């Protein structure tokens, strides 16, 4: 599996495919340790 | 990152912030931080994206890390306060910049609390990828 195929959730619990974030333009992904 | 979040869209890119708790945790945190609508606040409860991005998960990096103590002290001096942990406490963070097509042009793997690239570094990487 590639990173772009991973499906995560948005704040409303909707599915978001990561690859869609950089489909048309570059994306900066910040991975936080945890919320808080 | 939040004070300069709008600059990522102006630079022709997208900023996404990914955590690892439940969506309700992400929503509460996003509202607290006050990200602009251009920022995608997401969550990866399975931590699959963290693994594929090469991020580390370690108790030792979290608890027994003298550099983290120094960064914690510096953050306190600048007025940053950590709230209650929501998510995997041992998961480390980091950052990527990905071009259309999926090529990763920037990767930063955090080695402990407080170890992350600043917005200037990340914006520069995004502009190079645009």
């Amino acid at each position: 599996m590639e990173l772009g195929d991973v499906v995560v959730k948005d704040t409303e619990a909707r599915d978001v495919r990561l690859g869609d974030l950089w489909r048309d333009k570059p994306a900066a992904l910040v991975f936080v340790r945890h919320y808080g | 990152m939040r004070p300069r979040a709008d600059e990522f869209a102006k630079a022709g890119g997208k900023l996404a912030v990914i955590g690892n708790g439940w969506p309700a945790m992400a929503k509460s945190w996003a509202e607290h931080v006050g990200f602009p609508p251009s920022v995608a606040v997401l969550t990866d409860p399975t931590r699959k994206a963290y693994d594929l991005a090469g991020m580390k998960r370690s108790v030792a990096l979290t608890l027994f890390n003298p550099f983290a103590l120094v960064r914690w002290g510096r953050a306190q001096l600048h007025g940053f306060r950590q709230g209650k942990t929501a998510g995997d406490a041992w998961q480390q963070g980091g950052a990527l910049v990905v071009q259309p097509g999926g090529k990763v042009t920037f990767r930063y793997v955090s080695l402990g609390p407080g170890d992350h690239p600043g917005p200037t570094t990340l914006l520069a990487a995004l502009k190079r990828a645009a």
Side-chain angles (χ1 to χ4, degrees), chain B residues 4-20:
Chain B
R4 300 186 63 184
D6 274 332
E7 295 181 42
F8 288 82
K10 290 175 184 168
K14 178 76 177 175
L15 174 61
V17 182
I18 303 172
N20 57 69

Side-chain angles (χ1 to χ4, degrees), chain B:
Chain B
M1 199 64 69
R2 199 270 304 152
R4 300 186 63 184
D6 274 332
E7 295 181 42
F8 288 82
K10 290 175 184 168
K14 178 76 177 175
L15 174 61
V17 182
I18 303 172
N20 57 69
W22 298 109
M25 297 175 184
K27 185 174 185 178
S28 173
W29 180 73
E31 289 172 353
H32 173 72
V33 174
F35 284 109
S38 62
V39 178
V41 178
L42 305 169
T43 191
D44 175 29
T46 66
R47 294 184 299 98
K48 186 72 177 172
Y50 282 81
D51 290 343
L52 288 171
M55 303 308 163
K56 297 180 180 297
R57 184 177 184 276
S58 166
V59 174
L61 285 174
T62 306
L63 294 182
F64 311 113
N65 185 334
F67 296 108
L69 272 178
V70 171
R71 288 187 292 262
W72 178 83
R74 192 182 305 145
Q76 295 291 307
L77 286 174
H78 285 87
F80 293 101
R81 299 289 184 273
Q82 181 178 319
K84 184 180 177 185
T85 299
D88 186 331
W90 314 131
Q91 179 65 56
Q92 308 304 311
L96 300 178
V97 171
V98 189
Q99 285 181 321
K103 182 180 180 184
V104 175
T105 59
F106 175 88
R107 183 191 308 271
Y108 189 95
V109 177
S110 171
L111 295 178
D115 179 26
H116 53 76
T120 300
T121 299
L122 203 53
L123 266 167
L126 186 78
K127 289 174 181 174
R128 286 195 300 272

Side-chain angles (χ1 to χ4, degrees), chain A residues 7 10 22 30:
Chain A
V7 175
D10 69 9
W22 56 79
V30 175

Side-chain angles (χ1 to χ4, degrees), chain A residues 5-7 11 18 24 27-28 30 32 34-36:
Chain A
D5 295 324
V6 175
V7 175
T11 55
L18 282 182
D24 303 319
V30 175
V32 299
H34 50 71
Y35 302 118

Side-chain angles (χ1 to χ4, degrees), chain A residues 1-22:
Chain A
M1 182 181 226
E2 295 190 3
L3 183 63
D5 295 324
V6 175
V7 175
V8 297
K9 300 283 188 184
D10 69 9
T11 55
E12 301 300 328
R14 294 174 295 221
D15 289 347
V16 176
R17 182 181 169 275
L18 282 182
D20 289 344
L21 296 173
W22 56 79

